[in-house]
Amino acid sequence: MTATKALKGWTVALLVVAAIIIDQVIKIEVKTNMCLHDSIKVFNWFYISFIENEGMAYGMTFINKFFLTSMRIIFVVVITWYIVRKVTKGARWRFLVCLALVLAGAIGNIIDCLFYGMVFTESTLYDIAQLVPWGEGYGEMFYGKVVDMFYFPFIDTILPEWIPFYGGEHFVFFAPVFNFADACISVGFVSLLLFCSKEMGSWGSYQKEEAQEVDAEKQE
């Protein structure tokens, strides 16, 4: 591996580790200092609002917890392998950075699911979670709850009465509460679509290339 490729590999690894550490520090600070559903107003359009969810990013919960965590682990293994392959093939910096953000976000939420139930007591409306010895927490491995805290109600208003069906109702734009890991995944994925069209558009040729390499190895 050339020096440039090695530099890319180490940079990607450090970016992933740094993002995971930031994510976990924020989550642990929130979980060990706030009761469930506590909210701290930072600005009119930004709150630290502590919630937990058992499902996907931004609080979605339509997939079985064990299955979801297992799929996340498989995704992390696959994308890690893919990043290593791309580093060795000399992929562009921006492509690797975007993939690193997606990987870091996925790992960040996996940590919650795997370990938080084992090492934290339950967060409730009246009790702040405490760190406890391994296995004495509120749940089992794979069933930990993901900690969310960022809430950006850019528009929080009552809709005018003249709006059909929804007039007079409370309306919030951007309602989801999310965490740093979710943000990494979203920024990484959107950046892939916007700035890495070359790599994203070559997925079919990448699969063909992989098949050719496998055939060559078999012939040898």
Side-chain angles (χ1 to χ4, degrees):
M1 182 181 290
T2 65
T4 300
K5 292 179 181 179
L7 176 61
K8 288 182 177 180
W10 280 109
T11 302
V12 168
L14 290 174
L15 177 59
V16 170
V17 171
I20 293 172
I21 291 174
I22 292 171
D23 175 64
Q24 290 301 307
V25 167
I26 294 171
K27 288 174 176 175
I28 293 171
E29 280 295 309
V30 168
K31 189 166 180 64
T32 57
N33 288 282
M34 299 176 69
C35 292
L36 195 64
H37 298 309
D38 277 354
S39 185
I40 301 172
K41 180 179 179 180
V42 181
F43 302 107
N44 289 334
W45 46 268
F46 175 39
Y47 291 76
I48 302 297
S49 297
F50 174 33
I51 67 169
E52 291 181 309
N53 75 78
E54 300 186 20
M56 301 175 68
Y58 301 103
M60 293 181 283
T61 58
F62 56 86
I63 297 179
N64 174 269
K65 180 70 175 182
F66 182 85
F67 176 78
L68 175 62
T69 304
S70 301
M71 289 301 99
R72 279 175 170 158
I73 294 173
I74 293 173
F75 172 78
V76 163
V77 172
V78 171
I79 195 173
T80 300
W81 170 83
Y82 182 69
I83 290 174
V84 171
R85 292 283 294 178
K86 283 302 180 182
V87 168
T88 59
K89 290 180 179 295
R92 292 190 300 171
W93 278 103
R94 71 179 68 178
F95 186 55
L96 296 175
V97 168
C98 292
L99 290 175
L101 288 174
V102 174
L103 176 61
I107 294 175
N109 284 333
I110 285 174
I111 291 173
D112 297 29
C113 297
L114 286 179
F115 305 124
Y116 276 27
M118 304 293 291
V119 299
F120 286 111
T121 58
E122 185 81 23
S123 294
T124 72
L125 297 176
Y126 308 103
D127 300 307
I128 296 175
Q130 303 294 320
L131 193 62
V132 294
W134 180 264
E136 297 182 12
Y138 65 83
E140 300 176 355
M141 186 174 289
F142 277 79
Y143 290 91
K145 299 175 184 178
V146 177
V147 175
D148 293 327
M149 74 293 296
F150 297 136
Y151 177 47
F152 290 88
F154 294 111
I155 299 175
D156 189 345
T157 187
I158 302 297
L159 294 176
E161 294 289 346
W162 53 265
I163 296 180
F165 306 110
Y166 299 100
E169 294 188 7
H170 184 218
F171 172 77
V172 177
F173 176 85
F174 185 73
V177 180
F178 60 98
N179 58 45
F180 187 78
D182 296 333
C184 287
I185 294 171
S186 298
V187 170
F189 181 72
V190 172
S191 297
L192 284 171
L193 297 178
L194 293 178
F195 307 116
C196 301
S197 57
K198 177 182 177 181
E199 287 84 358
M200 298 298 287
S202 63
W203 177 248
S205 61
Y206 170 76
Q207 291 178 309
K208 183 178 179 181
E209 178 184 330
E210 290 294 299
Q212 290 174 345
E213 290 183 5
V214 171
D215 291 340
E217 291 174 359
K218 288 181 179 179
Q219 291 175 1
E220 292 177 357

